[in-house]
Amino acid sequence: MNSIYDKLTTLDFVIVAGYLVALLVIGYVVSMKQRKKNETLFLAGNSLNWYSIGFNMWGTNVGPSSLLAFASIGYATGIVAGNFEWYAFVFLLLLAMVFAPRYIASKVSTMPEYMGKRYGDSTQNILAWYALVKILVSWLSLGLFSGGVLVRQILGIPMWQSVTVLVIFSGIFTFAGGLKAIAKVNVFQMILLIVVSLTLSFLGLQKLGGIDVLIAKTPSNFWNLVRPSDDASYPWPAILLGYPVAAVAFFCTDQSMVQSVLGAKNLEQGQLGVNFIGWLKVMALPLFILPGILCYALYPELGSNSDLAYMTMVTNLFPSGMNGLVICVMIAVLVGTIGSSLNALSTVFTNDIYVKKINPTATIQDQIKIGRLTIAAGCVFAILIAVAIDNIKGQNLFNIFQAVLGFLAPSLSVVFLLSVFWKRTTKKAVNATLSWGSAFSLFVGVLYLWIFPADKYPVWPHFLLISFYIFAVLMISAVIISLTDRNPEVNVSDETDIPKTSKKVKLLFGLLGLVILVLYLVFNGN
C-alpha cells in the first residue's frame, strides 16, 4: 500500500526535509549548550517545567502505536480502548502522590538506583539489567515495529528497511541532544500531533455527515467503555484486573516514563507535569480512537485489516500538500518515543552498570561517551526485535503492545508496590521476584505469543487476565518469602524527608478525576 507516497508533491517533500533539518539543528544546539554547562545527556540538568514534562511523557507514551493501534481497535471494537487512557488516571495519581515524592527525595537518576538505595547493590544490578531488557523490548522494539508498519504502509518497503531508517534518525537526534533536546522538541511535536489528528477527525465527520450519522452507522456497543464479562475482545474483568498490572509498571516504575519527572525543577513541577499528561489523555477519543470508528463507517471494506484504518483515512481524506504534515507527525511521535527510550536505555546502563560497576571514577565526558555507545548498540538490537515482532501472527497491533507489556510488568509491579506499601518486604523476596519471577513471566509470554499462539490455541485466557494471574502468583510468593526469611534484610531507606504535595496539585487531580468519572458515566449503557 503506497498510495500516499504517490500523492506526495514537491511541497510535501520540502516540508518533510525542512522538518528533519530542524530536528537535527535543535539536537545540535542543545548539545553545544550542554557541553558549555558540563551537563550530561540524562536528566536535562533538573530543569524541566510542568508542560515540558507533560508533553514529553505524553510523547513517550503516545508513539506511533497510538496512531495505528488505537485507530485499529476503534475500527474493530469502538471506544473500549479509551479504558487504557482514562483508567490510567488512577496510576498517574499513584505516580504523582506516592512514587514521585519518594523518587525526588531520594535524588536518584534511575529506578534501579532507587531500589538499590533500599535493598543494596544486588537488587540494583538485577533491576538494571531487567530495565534494559524492558526498555529494549517494550519501548524501543515495539515503537520501531509500529513505526515500521507505518513506513511500510506509506512506501511499501520491507520491515527491516523501514525500522533501520527510523532508528538511525531517532538515534542520531538522541545521540546529539539527550533528554533536554527531546523534551524541547516534544512540546512542538505534540501540538502538531493534536492539530493533525483533530483535522483528520473533523474531515471524517464532515465527509460522513456528522455525529448522528456516525452513531447510526456503528453498532451500539461501539460506544461502551465497559464490555460484558463474556466479551471476546475486552471483557470488563480483564481490564479491571489486568490493566493495573501493566499500568503500575508502565507509569510508576518505567524509566522511560519516570525520567521526565526525575528531571523536574522540583516536586510540584513534576506532579503538575503528571497531571498535565492526564488531561492530554482525556483527548484520546477524538485524537486516536475516533479516526478508527470513522473509518469503520466510511470504509467498511477493510474488514479484518483494521491495522490499515489510520492510513486509509489519511490517504482518502487529506488533500494533496497535507500529506507532508502527516509524515512529519509520524516522525514526531517516533522521535518522541524512540528518542526517550534510547535516552532511558543509556541512562540506566551508564549510571547503574558502567559507573557503578566498571568505572566509578568516570568523568561526565566518559559518561556521555558510554551513553552514546549504548544508544548505538540499542538501535541495532531494537531492529532485530522489531523484525521478530513482525512475525507474530493472529494479533492486531494494539493486542501485541498490551500483551508484551502485560508479560513484562508483573514482577516490577509486585516489587515496587510491596517496597512502598509494606516495609516488611525483604531483599530476598525482591531479588527472587525480579529474577525468577521475571523469567517465569517472560516464559509464559513467549509461549502465548510465539510457541502456542492464542489464535491457534483458544484455551488461553485473555492476555490481560494472564498478566493478573502471574502478578497474583508473584505477589503471594514475595509475601511468603518475606515472612519466612530467617535473616530478613528489609527496606532501610529513610522517608522522613519526603516533600509535601501542594494544594494546587491536589485540586487539579481532583478536577481531573471528576472529568474521568463523567466520561465513564457518559460512555456506558448504550
Side-chain angles (χ1 to χ4, degrees), residues 120-137:
D121 287 350
S122 60
T123 301
Q124 183 171 347
N125 293 337
I126 295 172
L127 189 56
W129 285 108
Y130 188 74
L132 291 175
V133 172
K134 188 173 187 295
I135 293 169
L136 281 170
V137 175

Side-chain angles (χ1 to χ4, degrees), residues 409-476:
S411 57
L412 286 174
S413 296
V414 167
V415 298
F416 275 85
L417 287 173
L418 284 179
S419 296
V420 168
F421 291 105
W422 192 43
K423 291 187 176 181
R424 181 65 176 79
T425 307
T426 66
K427 175 180 178 178
K428 186 176 180 180
V430 169
N431 289 356
T433 303
L434 288 173
S435 54
W436 296 106
S438 298
F440 168 69
S441 182
L442 293 174
F443 174 70
V444 175
V446 170
L447 291 178
Y448 176 86
L449 291 170
W450 281 286
I451 299 177
F452 301 112
D455 63 320
K456 294 183 178 179
Y457 299 89
V459 69
W460 286 102
H462 194 280
F463 61 83
L464 289 175
L465 285 176
I466 299 174
S467 180
F468 173 74
Y469 298 149
I470 295 172
F471 170 82
V473 169
L474 296 185
M475 177 68 78
I476 293 170

